[in-house]
C-alpha cells in the first residue's frame, strides 16, 4: 500500500501532467472570428460572443437573476427589452455586487476575470468594457486559448440557422481558421421534419411534407452537399428526451427513416462519427428564451437499437439527465461503438463532473471523452477547463491509488498516456479520417 507521501506525489504528478496536456475541445458554441464577433465593428450579428456583457448575458445568469428578482416584478418581456449592456449591468449588480458569488456560473466568471488579470470587485462594468474593447479579437482568441491550454476549438455549425447559412453560401472561402474545426448539426431533420422539409424545398431539395423515401433521398443529398461545403469532423443532433428510433405499435418513427436512409449512409461514406446529445426539453418556459430550456430522462434503449444495428458507426453520446448516466455507461460497455462524452449543460457543474467522471472511470477505464466546454462565450473556456482539469485529475489520481493499493505498478509514462487519451486522442482518433 503506498504511503501518504507516495499518494501525495502521485496526485501532484497527475495534476502536473493534466495541467500541461493540450486539449481538443470537441463541442462548443464558439465560432472563428471570421464569422463575425462581438465588438468587431462589422454591424453583423455576432457569432463569436466575447467580453463582459456577453459573459453576463449568458443564459445561466439569466435564470439565476430571475431566481432573485422574478418575484419582485422583473418579467421576461421587460428583461429582454433591455439593451445587452443594461441586462449585463443588472446581472452584475444583483449577483456580484449585492451578494457574494456562489453558483458555478458566478464563481466561473470571477475566475475568468482574475485569470485575465482583472480586479473582480468593481462596482460597475465600465472598466471591464474598456479593457475588452481595446483587445484585438484575433490576439484575444489566442490568449484565451493559451490560458485554457486548448489547441483546437470545435464549433457547432448549423445550416438551418438564418444567420450562419448565408455565410457559408456567400463567404465559405474566407471562413477557415486552423484554430477552429467544423461540425454539421442537423437537429431539425430528425425531430422537426415539418420545418426542415419546408426549408429544404425553399433551397431546391424536392422533399415532401410527409415521410417518404423521396424525402430521405433528398436529405441524403442535402447532407452530402453540406459535408462537402464545410468539411465537418462529425455530424451532430441534439434530441429531446422523447427521441425514438425503434418501431412502435404506431409504425416506424420518422427518425428511423432519416437515420437508416440518409444520416447513416452519409456518415459511412464520409467516415464521420455521429454525436447524439439527448435529453433537452426545449422551451419549458418560452418567455425566458434560451434560459427557458429544461431537461428530461431519455430512453437509452433507443441508442442501443442504433448501436446494435450499425456496429461500424461510432456514436459519440452525451445525455442531459443525471438519471441516464449509469445506463449510458453500461450500454457503452456492451457496444464499443458508443463513446460517452462530456458533462453537458446542467451536468457541467463541479459535483456532477466529479460523479460522472468517477462512474465512467470505474466502468469504462479511460475509453471515453470526459469533458467538452459547451462554451457559448469565448472566455468561458478559461474557467470551464480550469475546473474540469482539476476534477478529472482528482478522479484519475483516486483510481490510480486504488490500483496501486491492489498491487499495480503505474509509471509516469502510463499517466501521460491516459491523460493524452482522455483529453485529446480518444476524440481525435475517432475523427482522424475527417481531419485528414
Amino acid at each position: 500500500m503506498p504511503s501518504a507521501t507516495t499518494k501525495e506525489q502521485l496526485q501532484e504528478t497527475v495534476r502536473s501532467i493534466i495541467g500541461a496536456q493540450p486539449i481538443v475541445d470537441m463541442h462548443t458554441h464558439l465560432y472563428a472570428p471570421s464569422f463575425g464577433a462581438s465588438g468587431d465593428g462589422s454591424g453583423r450579428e455576432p457569432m463569436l460572443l466575447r467580453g463582459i456583457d456577453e459573459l453576463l448575458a449568458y443564459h445561466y445568469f439569466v435564470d439565476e437573476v430571475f431566481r432573485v428578482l422574478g418575484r419582485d416584478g422583473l418579467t421576461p418581456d421587460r428583461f429582454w427589452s433591455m439593451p445587452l449592456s443594461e441586462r449585463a449591468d443588472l446581472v452584475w449588480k444583483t449577483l456580484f455586487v449585492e451578494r457574494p458569488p456562489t453558483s458555478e456560473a458566478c464563481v466561473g466568471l470571477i475566475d475568468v476575470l482574475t485569470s485575465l488579470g482583472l480586479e473582480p470587485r468593481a462596482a460597475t462594468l465600465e472598466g471591464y468594457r474598456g479593457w475588452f474593447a481595446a483587445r484585438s479579437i484575433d490576439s484575444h482568441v489566442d490568449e484565451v486559448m493559451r490560458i485554457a491550454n486548448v489547441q483546437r476549438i470545435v464549433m457547432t455549425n448549423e445550416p438551418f440557422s438564418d444567420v450562419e447559412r448565408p455565410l457559408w453560401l456567400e463567404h465559405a472561402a474566407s471562413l477557415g481558421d486552423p484554430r477552429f474545426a467544423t461540425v454539421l448539426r442537423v437537429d431539425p431533420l430528425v425531430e422537426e421534419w415539418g420545418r426542415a422539409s419546408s426549408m429544404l424545398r425553399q433551397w431546391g431539395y424536392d422533399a415532401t411534407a410527409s415521410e417518404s423515401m423521396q424525402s430521405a433521398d433528398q436529405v441524403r443529398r442535402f447532407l452530402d452537399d453540406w459535408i462537402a461545403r464545410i468539411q465537418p469532423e462529425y455530424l451532430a443532433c441534439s434530441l429531446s428526451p422523447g427521441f425514438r428510433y425503434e418501431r412502435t405499435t404506431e409504425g416506424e418513427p420518422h427518425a428511423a427513416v432519416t437515420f437508416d436512409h440518409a444520416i447513416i449512409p452519409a456518415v459511412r461514406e464520409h467516415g464521420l462519427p455521429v454525436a447524439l446529445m439527448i435529453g433537452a426539453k426545449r422551451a419549458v418556459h418560452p418567455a425566458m428564451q434560451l434560459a427557458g430550456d429544461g431537461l428530461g430522462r431519455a430512453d437509452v434503449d433507443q441508442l442501443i437499437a442504433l448501436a446494435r444495428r450499425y456496429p461500424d458507426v461510432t456514436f459519440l453520446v452525451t445525455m442531459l439527465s443525471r438519471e441516464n448516466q449509469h445506463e449510458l455507461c453500461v450500454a457503452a460497455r456492451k457496444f464499443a461503438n458508443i463513446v460517452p462524452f462530456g458533462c453537458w449543460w446542467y451536468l457541467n457543474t463541479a459535483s456532477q463532473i466529479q460523479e460522472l467522471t468517477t462512474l465512467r472511470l470505474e466502468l469504462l477505464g479511460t475509453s471515453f471523452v470526459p469533458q467538452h466546454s459547451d462554451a457559448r462565450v469565448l472566455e468561458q473556456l478559461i474557467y470551464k477547463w480550469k475546473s474540469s482539469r482539476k476534477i478529472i485529475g482528482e478522479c484519475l489520481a483516486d483510481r490510480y491509488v486504488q490500483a496501486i493499493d491492489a498491487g499495480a505498478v503505474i509509471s509516469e509514462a502510463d499517466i501521460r498516456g491516459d491523460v493524452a487519451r482522455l483529453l485529446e486522442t480518444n476524440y481525435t482518433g475517432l475523427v482522424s479520417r475527417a481531419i485528414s
Side-chain angles (χ1 to χ4, degrees):
M1 179 175 179
S3 66
T5 300
T6 303
K7 289 180 181 178
E8 291 170 0
Q9 290 172 342
L10 174 63
Q11 290 164 344
E12 180 55 39
T13 298
V14 174
R15 279 194 294 269
S16 175
I17 291 172
I18 208 164
Q21 172 64 45
I23 287 170
V24 176
D25 194 341
M26 64 159 286
H27 172 61
T28 77
H29 296 274
L30 303 176
Y31 291 85
S34 54
F35 285 76
S38 301
D40 65 3
S42 67
R44 292 187 296 168
E45 182 173 339
M47 297 197 69
L48 174 60
L49 305 181
R50 67 175 192 120
I52 192 64
D53 288 335
E54 298 288 6
L55 284 164
L56 287 164
Y58 181 51
H59 63 87
Y60 279 16
F61 289 127
V62 174
D63 48 17
E64 190 172 343
V65 85
F66 273 93
R67 294 291 306 161
V68 179
L69 300 179
R71 293 180 180 272
D72 295 332
L74 181 65
T75 66
D77 286 347
R78 180 183 161 207
F79 181 81
W80 292 115
S81 70
M82 297 176 182
L84 174 65
S85 60
E86 289 185 20
R87 280 181 267 142
D89 287 335
L90 179 63
V91 171
W92 182 255
K93 176 177 178 289
T94 304
L95 301 182
F96 294 87
V97 175
E98 295 180 346
R99 62 198 68 217
T102 54
S103 71
E104 186 85 1
C106 285
V107 173
L109 179 60
I110 297 299
D111 199 357
V112 167
L113 295 176
T114 55
S115 296
L116 292 171
L118 299 170
E119 165 58 50
R121 297 182 181 180
T124 72
L125 300 178
E126 295 313 310
Y128 303 137
R129 287 174 178 138
W131 187 88
F132 281 104
R135 305 276 290 176
S136 156
I137 292 173
D138 265 311
S139 63
H140 186 57
V141 169
D142 287 339
E143 178 69 0
V144 168
M145 292 179 70
R146 183 193 66 77
I147 294 171
N149 200 6
V150 171
Q151 64 178 341
R152 189 164 84 248
I153 297 169
V154 182
M155 302 181 284
T156 296
N157 304 100
E158 304 189 51
F160 288 91
S161 162
D162 291 337
V163 176
E164 182 170 357
R165 176 182 170 80
L167 296 177
W168 285 107
L169 295 178
E170 299 167 18
H171 307 289
S174 64
L175 296 179
D177 187 318
R179 299 168 296 185
F180 292 81
T182 54
V183 161
L184 181 60
R185 183 156 165 177
V186 294
D187 310 358
L189 295 176
V190 179
E191 292 196 325
E192 298 179 79
W193 179 245
R195 179 170 81 93
S197 62
S198 175
M199 297 177 83
L200 289 174
R201 288 193 296 276
Q202 293 175 35
W203 300 335
Y205 298 91
D206 191 18
T208 63
S210 59
E211 301 165 13
S212 67
M213 286 304 300
Q214 174 185 327
S215 292
D217 290 343
Q218 294 303 299
V219 169
R220 172 65 198 276
R221 184 163 74 88
F222 169 82
L223 293 175
D224 287 341
D225 289 347
W226 276 88
I227 289 169
R229 181 172 288 121
I230 77 171
Q231 297 293 302
E233 291 194 352
Y234 59 85
L235 186 147
C237 296
S238 178
L239 302 169
S240 71
F243 166 69
R244 292 206 62 83
Y245 172 76
E246 287 189 302
R247 179 180 291 274
T248 68
T249 55
E250 289 81 28
E252 190 174 35
H254 167 72
V257 177
T258 304
F259 273 96
D260 291 347
H261 300 289
I263 290 176
I264 296 300
V267 298
R268 275 176 164 166
E269 178 176 330
H270 297 282
L272 303 177
V274 179
L276 302 177
M277 299 172 284
I278 310 172
K281 279 187 178 179
R282 301 299 180 186
V284 171
H285 189 338
M288 295 280 283
Q289 300 187 22
L290 188 60
D293 291 345
L295 65 86
R297 181 172 178 172
D299 182 359
V300 177
D301 286 345
Q302 306 307 311
L303 168 65
I304 289 173
L306 268 169
R308 184 169 52 229
R309 183 161 190 178
Y310 300 111
D312 59 326
V313 174
T314 297
F315 296 95
L316 290 155
V317 182
T318 192
M319 303 188 80
L320 193 49
S321 172
R322 177 175 177 265
E323 287 70 26
N324 277 134
Q325 304 308 317
H326 188 235
E327 289 180 275
L328 174 59
C329 281
V330 173
R333 283 178 67 94
K334 310 307 168 188
F335 296 91
N337 60 329
I338 295 177
V339 181
F341 77 91
C343 301
W344 182 30
W345 206 340
Y346 297 110
L347 294 173
N348 204 337
T349 60
S351 62
Q352 296 303 302
I353 297 168
Q354 183 172 36
E355 179 181 319
L356 267 60
T357 303
T358 298
L359 173 67
R360 290 166 175 173
L361 287 169
E362 289 172 342
L363 288 179
L364 304 174
T366 56
S367 63
F368 63 99
V369 179
Q371 190 57 299
H372 62 272
S373 73
D374 206 24
R376 287 184 177 271
V377 185
L378 175 65
E379 295 83 8
Q380 290 172 342
L381 290 175
I382 294 172
Y383 88 83
K384 291 195 173 193
W385 277 114
K386 181 178 178 181
S387 174
S388 290
R389 280 181 194 270
K390 178 176 182 292
I391 297 166
I392 294 165
E394 290 170 351
C395 294
L396 190 58
D398 286 346
R399 298 311 303 161
Y400 288 146
V401 168
Q402 294 288 325
I404 292 170
D405 283 348
V409 176
I410 296 175
S411 69
E412 184 171 319
D414 294 329
I415 297 171
R416 290 187 185 280
D418 276 349
V419 168
R421 276 187 283 275
L422 288 167
L423 298 186
E424 183 179 3
T425 60
N426 281 350
Y427 170 72
T428 58
L430 293 174
V431 300
S432 58
R433 180 174 167 185
I435 294 172
S436 62

